[in-house]
């Protein structure tokens, strides 16, 4: 349990630092490299990556809107079937980010096994 929480924290911190300077997909690639270097087991790697990606992307979306106020999130929440709730837009963003990061972490852990 402690190992997983530590890895989640590492994925979030490294992903946030990389996300400031590189494109969005670099966060996933860095997570795969970390999973490979650390030697993560395949079992449970997707869940750890999903949680880390979810946290990272929700905070990144919230921080972006907080730093640059805009009407775009509200308009996107109206465009999607979210009934104008911006908080649900953050959840959708977190799910998409969690799925991509989870797959990258699983791939990095899987590469280590071969």
């Amino acid at each position: 349990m402690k190992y997983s929480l530590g890895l989640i924290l590492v994925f979030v911190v490294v992903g946030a630092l990389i996300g400031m300077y590189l494109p969005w997909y670099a966060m996933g690639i860095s997570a795969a490299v970390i999973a490979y270097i650390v030697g993560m087991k395949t079992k449970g790697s997707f869940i750890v990556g999903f949680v880390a990606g979810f946290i990272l992307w929700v905070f990144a979306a919230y921080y972006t809107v907080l730093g640059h106020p805009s009407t775009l999130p509200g308009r996107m929440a109206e465009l999607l079937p979210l009934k104008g709730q911006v908080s649900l837009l953050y959840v959708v963003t977190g799910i998409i980010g969690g799925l991509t990061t989870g797959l990258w972490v699983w791939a990095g852990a899987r590469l280590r096994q071969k």
Side-chain angles (χ1 to χ4, degrees):
M1 183 71 173
K2 285 183 182 180
Y3 178 73
S4 297
L5 291 177
L7 280 174
I8 289 172
L9 182 64
V10 167
F11 288 139
V12 169
V13 169
V14 170
L17 291 174
I18 293 222
M20 287 193 286
Y21 302 106
L22 296 173
W24 67 270
Y25 52 84
M27 294 181 208
I29 294 170
S30 68
V33 169
I34 292 170
Y36 180 80
I37 291 172
V38 171
M40 282 186 72
K41 304 280 187 221
T42 305
K43 184 178 179 183
S45 62
F46 179 80
I47 299 297
V48 170
F50 181 86
V51 171
F54 185 87
I55 292 169
L56 176 63
W57 282 73
V58 166
F59 282 134
Y62 182 72
Y63 180 74
T64 301
V65 170
L66 194 63
H68 307 286
S70 174
T71 60
L72 183 61
R75 291 186 291 168
M76 287 302 298
E78 288 178 12
L79 182 65
L80 296 172
L82 303 175
K83 298 179 183 171
Q85 295 181 352
V86 177
S87 58
L88 288 178
L89 185 64
Y90 294 143
V91 171
V92 170
T93 302
I95 290 171
I96 292 169
L99 287 173
T100 56
T101 308
L103 287 173
W104 275 104
V105 170
W106 176 80
R110 186 80 173 123
L111 276 174
R112 185 66 170 198
Q113 285 186 343
K114 294 191 175 205

